[in-house]
Amino acid sequence: MFLLHHLDHLLQHYGYGVIGLIVMLESMGAPLPGESLIIGTAIYCATTHRLDIVWVVITAIAGAIMGDNFGYLIGHSLGFRALARYGRHIGLNDRRLKLGRYLFRMHGGKVVFFGRFIAILRTFAALLAGANRMPWHSFLLWNALGGIGWASGYGFAAYFLGRQVLRISGPLGIAVGIVAAIVVVAALVFLKRNEARLTHDAERAANAQEA
């Protein structure tokens, strides 16, 4: 209830703009909760009807694409040495830089696309793509596809889940809400565990390649 009140206050005063701004800044490398904001705003749309979910998703997509392109330009301009020297101030430590270099070398555009759905890569993928001199036209394509899939997937899924829960009242509605919460938590745990495993496997492969 506390979080809902603050989200309501934020969206009432700043509307769609705050969604695009936070998603854009996160995509540029700032440690902000863009994914949580999209999910929370989608549920807010479903329960209050004060915002249009279509415009929420469009704004998030625009913010994601713009932020990633700004991040790419920053990474391209600074280069790998500057990121290695100053990246730790935004959480981009040596381990993540080494991991990013390996992933881009091995997988290229797929890292930009699927990185949208992994917290660490979502924040740093654009910077790393620029620093690794990934061709801009290739980055733009994978970035746009990833931003569209990420924002529309999370946004519409959370919105329709919120709508369905509202339609069911009484004990059944409570039961559906509990089951939905369990599914969401289980999905988050699954993603986190696989993210940690994939990070470990990729780091081990990067170390082996360097050796």
Side-chain angles (χ1 to χ4, degrees), residues 83-99:
L83 287 183
R85 185 173 182 180
Y86 302 108
R88 63 182 182 277
H89 297 298
I90 58 171
L92 193 55
N93 54 34
D94 292 339
R95 175 174 172 267
R96 289 175 178 173
L97 277 171
K98 181 171 66 176
L99 177 62

Side-chain angles (χ1 to χ4, degrees), residues 16 19-24 27 34 37-38 53-67 116 147-148 150-152 155:
Y16 302 105
I19 302 166
L21 179 63
I22 289 177
V23 170
M24 182 180 72
S27 300
L37 179 64
I38 291 175
I53 185 60
V54 173
W55 283 109
V56 168
V57 170
I58 290 173
T59 305
I61 291 172
I65 294 174
M66 289 175 60
R116 257 291 144 199
I148 292 169
W150 173 72
S152 59

Side-chain angles (χ1 to χ4, degrees), residues 7-107:
L7 183 62
D8 179 68
H9 177 78
L10 190 69
L11 294 175
Q12 286 277 4
H13 281 77
Y14 303 105
Y16 302 105
V18 72
I19 302 166
L21 179 63
I22 289 177
V23 170
M24 182 180 72
L25 291 175
E26 183 196 34
S27 300
M28 291 172 63
L32 294 171
E35 187 173 277
S36 300
L37 179 64
I38 291 175
I39 294 172
T41 304
I43 294 173
Y44 175 85
C45 291
T47 55
T48 67
H49 306 290
R50 292 175 183 169
L51 292 178
D52 188 332
I53 185 60
V54 173
W55 283 109
V56 168
V57 170
I58 290 173
T59 305
I61 291 172
I65 294 174
M66 289 175 60
D68 272 347
N69 277 277
F70 285 136
Y72 175 90
L73 291 174
I74 292 171
H76 194 276
S77 300
L78 293 178
F80 223 87
R81 287 186 177 180
L83 287 183
R85 185 173 182 180
Y86 302 108
R88 63 182 182 277
H89 297 298
I90 58 171
L92 193 55
N93 54 34
D94 292 339
R95 175 174 172 267
R96 289 175 178 173
L97 277 171
K98 181 171 66 176
L99 177 62
R101 173 175 281 179
Y102 168 77
L103 288 174
F104 275 98
R105 187 181 301 151
M106 298 300 295
H107 303 289

Side-chain angles (χ1 to χ4, degrees), residues 182-192:
I182 292 172
V183 170
V184 170
V185 171
L188 290 174
V189 170
F190 174 79
L191 288 173
K192 288 296 180 183

Side-chain angles (χ1 to χ4, degrees), residues 156-176:
F156 287 124
Y159 176 78
F160 287 118
L161 177 62
R163 289 290 301 272
Q164 293 303 316
V165 171
L166 279 178
R167 289 177 181 176
I168 305 172
S169 59
L172 182 59
I174 295 173
V176 170

